[in-house]
């Protein structure tokens, strides 16, 4: 069964989701470059697969903190879980091997963040800033950005009609071809 229009509708859906997801990541070109899709045909069905770097999953869905009540009571995110519905969580046994602190150190350098001054006028040391930021992220989590989920859900609301229409076009073409073949056979 040749379903060219149906496959094209899936391709269009995939391209739309990928393009809009990338658009929502203007400051993260490295991650945006890893987002893609592929439509596979395995004789009995079509499969649409999306792909991206693993960090994209965490950025999209967020990460639950280990325990926001362990932050100091005056902290901005004290007792506030950043990603209630996320399937990912800090402290679930996976371990990050220090990557969180390494990433924060690189971010501080990239953003050229200078430490704030204390009551004596002394700057906060870089190690202290890394510790404070990573502690906040570890306990409170990472808020979901939904850069992929939102475009997917918006496009998915319209896909039913588009797939039904394209499937109907493909079936129409097959019926026309079959009737032409039948007419040819009758003429012989």
């Amino acid at each position: 069964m040749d379903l060219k229009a149906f496959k094209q509708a899936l391709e269009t859906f995939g391209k739309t989701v990928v393009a809009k997801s990338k658009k929502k990541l203007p400051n993260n070109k490295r991650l945006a470059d890893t987002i893609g899709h592929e439509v596979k045909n395995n004789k009995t069905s079509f499969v649409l697969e999306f792909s991206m770097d693993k960090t994209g999953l965490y950025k999209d869905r967020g990460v639950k903190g280990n325990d926001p009540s362990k932050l100091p009571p005056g902290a901005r995110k004290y007792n506030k879980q950043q990603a209630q519905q996320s399937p990912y969580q800090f402290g679930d046994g996976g371990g990050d091997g220090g990557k969180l602190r390494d990433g924060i150190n690189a971010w501080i350098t990239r953003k050229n963040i200078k430490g704030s001054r204390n009551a004596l006028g002394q700057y906060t040391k870089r190690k202290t800033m890394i510790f404070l930021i990573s502690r906040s992220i570890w306990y409170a989590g990472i808020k979901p950005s939904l850069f992929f989920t939102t475009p997917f859900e918006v496009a998915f609301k319209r896909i039913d009609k588009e797939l039904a229409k394209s499937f109907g076009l493909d079936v129409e073409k097959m019926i026309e071809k079959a009737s032409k073949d039948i007419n040819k056979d009758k003429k012989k």
Side-chain angles (χ1 to χ4, degrees):
M1 189 187 243
D2 188 24
L3 299 172
K4 287 180 183 175
F6 188 80
K7 183 178 180 184
Q8 185 57 46
L10 284 175
E11 277 290 343
T12 302
F13 172 75
K15 285 178 183 176
T16 301
V17 171
V18 168
K20 290 188 178 185
S21 296
K22 287 181 176 187
K23 207 174 203 177
K24 290 183 128 231
L25 283 172
N27 297 328
N28 199 333
K29 184 171 173 23
R30 188 199 59 77
L31 176 58
D33 289 344
T34 69
I35 302 170
H37 79 285
E38 183 179 1
V39 177
K40 296 178 181 178
N41 183 358
N42 63 1
K43 294 185 182 179
T44 58
S45 63
F46 287 100
V47 177
L48 172 61
E49 289 182 354
F50 290 99
S51 59
M52 75 174 83
D53 186 66
K54 190 176 179 181
T55 58
L57 299 173
Y58 304 139
K59 185 169 182 64
D60 181 59
R61 303 288 301 276
V63 180
K64 287 181 199 170
N66 186 282
D67 184 358
S69 67
K70 289 185 179 178
L71 286 170
R76 218 172 14 132
K77 295 176 184 173
Y78 173 73
N79 230 6
K80 294 179 185 169
Q81 187 63 259
Q82 294 296 297
Q84 288 282 356
Q85 307 301 321
S86 177
Y88 311 110
Q89 179 172 358
F90 285 117
D92 63 2
D96 77 344
K99 291 179 185 172
L100 177 61
R101 288 190 180 184
D102 290 346
I104 291 168
N105 186 27
W107 179 78
I108 288 171
T109 303
R110 197 171 51 248
K111 295 287 187 176
N112 197 22
I113 296 174
K114 305 290 185 219
S116 60
R117 292 180 186 252
N118 64 13
L120 300 173
Q122 301 165 321
Y123 276 108
T124 306
K125 294 179 182 175
R126 177 184 292 269
K127 281 187 176 182
T128 303
M129 285 192 326
I130 293 168
F131 168 77
L132 293 172
I133 294 169
S134 63
R135 178 183 67 178
S136 177
I137 292 171
W138 179 263
Y139 287 131
I142 299 172
K143 192 174 184 176
S145 69
L146 303 176
F147 75 91
F148 180 82
T149 301
T150 301
F152 180 86
E153 288 174 349
V154 168
F156 192 75
K157 287 179 183 175
R158 293 178 284 174
I159 193 75
D160 290 352
K161 291 176 186 172
E162 291 173 25
L163 288 178
K165 182 179 174 183
S166 62
F167 186 76
L169 289 172
D170 286 334
V171 170
E172 250 180 62
K173 287 178 185 175
M174 283 187 282
I175 292 171
E176 285 176 17
K177 186 181 181 311
S179 66
K180 284 180 184 177
D181 290 345
I182 290 171
N183 288 335
K184 278 184 187 177
D185 289 343
K186 285 181 181 178
K187 288 180 182 178
K188 288 183 182 179

